[in-house]
Amino acid sequence: MTSATPRKPHLLHLCWEMHRAGPPMQDLAHGSVFLKRCFVFCLVEQLVDEILKLNEDPKIHGLVLDLPIGALSGRVINSVTPEKDVDGITDVNLGRLIRGDLSECFVPPAASAVLQLLDQAGERFNTVESSSRWITNQQRKRWDVRALKLQPLSPVPSDIEISRAQTPKAIEVLAKEIGLLAGEIESFGRNKAKVKLSLLERLKEHPDGKYVLVAGITPTPLGEGKSTVTVGLVQALGAHLGINSFACVRQPSQGPTFGVKGGAAGGGYAQVIPMEEFNLHLTGDIHAITAANNLLAAAIDARILHEATQSDKALYNRLVPTINGVRQFSPIQLARLKRLRVDKSDPSTLTPGEVSNFVRLDIDPSTITWQRVVDTNDRFLRKITIGQSSTEKGFIREAQFDIAVASEIMAILALTDGLADMNKRLGNIVVANNRKGQPVTAEDLGVSGALAVLMKDAIKPTLMQTLEGTPVFVHAGPFANIAHGNSSVLADKMALKLVGEQGFVVTEAGFGADIGMEKFFNIKCRASGLYPNVVVLVATIRALKMHGGGPNVTAGKPLTKEYTEENLKLVADGCSNLQKQIQIAHLFGMPVIVAINVFKSDTEAEIDLVCQIAKHSGAYDAVSCNHWAAGGRGTVQLAEAVERAANEKSTLSFLYDLKLPIVEKIRTIAQKVYGAKDIELSPEAQSKVDLYVKQGFGDLPICMAKTHLSLSHQPERKGVPTGFILPIRDVRASIGAGFIYPLVGTMSTMPGLPTRPCFYDIDLDSDTEQITGLF
Amino acid sequence: MTSATPRKPHLLHLCWEMHRAGPPMQDLAHGSVFLKRCFVFCLVEQLVDEILKLNEDPKIHGLVLDLPIGALSGRVINSVTPEKDVDGITDVNLGRLIRGDLSECFVPPAASAVLQLLDQAGERFNTVESSSRWITNQQRKRWDVRALKLQPLSPVPSDIEISRAQTPKAIEVLAKEIGLLAGEIESFGRNKAKVKLSLLERLKEHPDGKYVLVAGITPTPLGEGKSTVTVGLVQALGAHLGINSFACVRQPSQGPTFGVKGGAAGGGYAQVIPMEEFNLHLTGDIHAITAANNLLAAAIDARILHEATQSDKALYNRLVPTINGVRQFSPIQLARLKRLRVDKSDPSTLTPGEVSNFVRLDIDPSTITWQRVVDTNDRFLRKITIGQSSTEKGFIREAQFDIAVASEIMAILALTDGLADMNKRLGNIVVANNRKGQPVTAEDLGVSGALAVLMKDAIKPTLMQTLEGTPVFVHAGPFANIAHGNSSVLADKMALKLVGEQGFVVTEAGFGADIGMEKFFNIKCRASGLYPNVVVLVATIRALKMHGGGPNVTAGKPLTKEYTEENLKLVADGCSNLQKQIQIAHLFGMPVIVAINVFKSDTEAEIDLVCQIAKHSGAYDAVSCNHWAAGGRGTVQLAEAVERAANEKSTLSFLYDLKLPIVEKIRTIAQKVYGAKDIELSPEAQSKVDLYVKQGFGDLPICMAKTHLSLSHQPERKGVPTGFILPIRDVRASIGAGFIYPLVGTMSTMPGLPTRPCFYDIDLDSDTEQITGLF
């Protein structure tokens, strides 16, 4: 401190993009003297000249350099005299600084980091305070998002034709429009960007927006359009009502894209674009999961082989080698010693018993639950025998590959709230038991750090946009068959901060509300601490007719006339399922808006009837939606209803206490949600429950693996089945993800390719570089 | 045409970054009137105001809008009156335009596309001409690449510490420095960008730079540092001699990164940075290969199952279904009909025999050569049994997984010269024979279009940088054990155009020169049509001593004193191998520079001795290199020698004529390159040769699968073995990639994990987001 009275900061803002940095100039000036001028320099020379002049100006106490990275060369930085304080950009430093000594980090609107901190506390405080205020105001206001115009055609073209006809905004443009700083995004080509988690730190004091869950009634095998409603709803909110709004959706598996189902990016005029980038590779998250999953799998079998073929001493010498005369444990080995309650750090001091405990995981191969994965529909890998090469010395065993999205690592990605938490969850993954019945984890195998390294980019949500130019986060997509089937906690959290208090985040729960929504509340909301405001329940006349007693609906077969002609009786009877699903949402204390996803063959009388019944059944509102044919314009009524309902008071109540015994938790879900009379555990299921309790995993939430085609376990029972006993065939655990999953019947974890897979129609035009047939 | 005399274009260049767009202003002005002013606008409003003023100015005939994408909004574009011509940026349009009616596309230096073409032929011509001239000049001149300063430490820190201590330039900055247009790159985060193939079209009339191949003597199992020499050499050329220069290197497999070997990005002060991004995921190319490879594998087994369980009619109905009353073949099915010589396009007109031929690929499972892959060292997948789930109805068979980089699709990626060629190669992949002994291809399976779609981004090389800020292309990395082990043709081609006539492109051939270099010339150069100017042959004192009779060198064991102390006798004796490898390079007509990769324990006398022998053996020059400890500064002498040698005349001659019989081609390589007395084919190998000839594949080049640890097939035979008979155990074919590969002994295609894999040390710090232990 060279002066007794702290001076006010006299900073000069050297701005590069004035249309961005304009406002803070005035605002930052609070209590300071700022030159309200904007310098824009074409040549580094000019900039340097200007800085040299400013060096001589005693009124200027410091500089905020708000420049594109390319211009912030060493020459520029070095031209500032040491007497001046410099705040400036580089995205490299952002992460460091946010975690640095400026916990209330100074983040000017377009700059991203402080190169040299103000050296006087008073000044720092003022700067930080006024800067924060500016950002807060910024974040509370409505975005200036340029909507992309839609001119829907009739008949509606194929999804890829619609997607291709629209030119998305460059992703940097969208990022800027929604208040992301340049240093917070990592572009992946022109249309996708990963968003850094540091955003959560920057906006942590900001209020969340409104949180909307899109769920569905029990669907037909064709699906009832939850994804299109999700996308259509944000198109309506954002592009038509001018409300800050975000969709958070799942990344689709590539397996089905080339198999039976085709892509998944919404559909018709409610899509995430470009749809081919959404469906293929995206930003590599599923590939990262595959790599991490399979590294762990390879580590398990290799370890079994090495333990079986080596003495304790040989193992120890290899696991803790002497390198350049020094022998030491790696940090992950020290962690294992700690778990073994061996409080030593010098490898030479372990007793033979301790050595043996340390080097032998003693995995019981019959208890291995960790499977390999591929993101391909490869039915021949459902059951395989591995280790048959002579190099594996006869250690053969039966194994399987699952589809990549069924990996527990995908569930972890969806539930984690940050890097530290992800690392912990990855380490906690239980892959097998040892011969004493104790769990063996990824950390025991020494591989959890490597898994985290493989997942370090996948943890950042990917920003894309809808057909109408509103923002979408695509992140995670756990297999709804055996996991919770919801997109990521992190994407929801980031979106809720970005939209601001008056904005909306819309996310989707896989399958019917009895499965996806129940897991959303009991698993995802517990993990995130976020409470939604409204549930949108998607229904189709088609599905309601099926529940009302209509003939079977099968993929690939034409619909019968019950579905193509008006039939009010079937609709009315089928509304039993809708009523039940509304009640389920009410169990959690949520207001429900029924969204009827309208098809061409639906009649006005049918739609009116459903709306009437829905409202009588306690729905806050019921509206028809026409987003598939009309885009956001077709969902404005739904958006308005959602906006109204979000202003109602709602309180989330969980369905069960985690402290309840596992079996009680399962029974609660079966009875209260599915309407079962009771549950029945197989002996295998019961013994697994006992094991998990013994291992200390009794307090985890439950993730039911049940068919989505019925409220019961029998897909053919439509409407609202009653009186059934829900059989629990087996119980498994995803300890890293943090849930127990009871298997109700046999759940496939690897789809197959049909005789004529989708890939027959898919091609790449080598002249135009355009994809054809991806629908 | 409204005027009889074509007017000269009066364009106003509205520039955003004047330090970039400066030169063309003057140059474009040739024959035109330009306002030599630079407008830079902070607010779209100001820009619009300016345009409105210009609208009124009759002297201004048109505008070149050279702006960042974000500023080029509809408002800006719309503010220009229809009377003015507008040339402007958007990267979206670049691709279209390059293929569009402006075949000599107008590409202003920083802009990327013409929004609205000049409407008068004369004007267009002038603009195009002057613009092309500017670009041509531009491409011929020296780049303005800002070198990153190195301050090497001693002792040399770990690779990741060195990498992390350097802040790479933002990749857009580097791209700009080397003359890439904004629309030609797709950023992947801050440090990597894919470069579009349209670059080759833009620069097709430009001369290529000099082309340098880095090869090695027969290595020890530790490797002799070809990658570090490659990177060190371009650091010297680019950052120290100021010559435009590019390194083209392979993408490493993630398997070894977590297994035994660790990463591969050069090493010490000659690295590609950030090394962790180089080693992990990169831009997803290997993941794309894995996805494509495994989709094809899944298609094979699924097809066998479906054919075995369905009648001709059922198969036909499913393969060519009636959709909305219409039944038609997909394009890929029409292609198959054509191959079957069935000239019909109406599905209802096929005879039962034609239907049967069409629907039945009749794959003989015992002939399947297509394996599944993972990018993980998973030894338990070396030999497996698949199809054991009851859903596969007993169609079990033995199979295997290879490491992903061993996929033929990787070899295709490395050898292709563009999208159309890649599509063709993917379709040509032979996966098995049918029961008549005819090849079954990916196109027969209907999946080749989908493979191309999965590979459409992987085909673009990835731009990164060296520790000293010079450009590097990372692209492809075919497994040298069974493929040709060279980086991609496309990256080399693009780099050769970018560096310009006086510039240098340095690439590397895997393994010793007897393998990697021989394949580089006979396979890669044949495919690319590119002829190198110089071969750099890397040698180490360590490897020479081994060839001179020194004790075994084994990974993980300390070196004996023969290697750590001066021993001129061993060095002199070991130079036999060096001499032989020089002779091999001379076979192809290339001048050779021997680069001694210096280690701390090497003595001056040893180094001098090698230089002397090398020059006596016909090397153009021999120099020592110290890049590992000193960066590019340590390789300046090599760079100067390379520059001199490149000005010598050299003519590439191939070793064999493709029309020779397969066995003769193999014999030629064995005798002339390896020094074998003769070859000996196993009966299996001979019958495969006969089969391939019968199938029409006799004219392909040969890709030997031989140990790299000896010139012979016996790894323990060092120096220059003679008199041996090279056994050919089996012969296989990669028809899509376009080579026949004889197996000399057993080649592993799946590495394993050791007792203590690298992953034990790898961790992610969740606070700093930094990776530790990735070496």
Side-chain angles (χ1 to χ4, degrees), chain B residues 731-743:
Chain B
V731 178
R732 302 213 179 129
S734 289
I735 301 302
F739 53 73
I740 300 284
Y741 62 102
L743 297 178

Side-chain angles (χ1 to χ4, degrees), chain B residues 326-375:
Chain B
V326 182
R327 190 175 194 191
Q328 58 188 10
F329 294 113
S330 74
I332 207 165
Q333 291 178 327
L334 287 170
R336 174 160 166 80
L337 283 175
K338 206 170 156 192
R339 284 196 301 285
L340 295 173
R341 295 169 207 279
V342 178
D343 186 23
K344 295 179 180 176
S345 59
D346 177 355
S348 67
T349 58
L350 265 63
T351 65
E354 287 168 345
V355 165
S356 183
N357 277 340
F358 173 75
V359 299
R360 297 210 173 269
L361 302 183
D362 199 25
I363 292 170
D364 176 352
S366 72
T367 65
I368 296 174
T369 49
W370 194 258
Q371 308 300 351
R372 288 161 176 86
V373 300
V374 283
D375 194 24

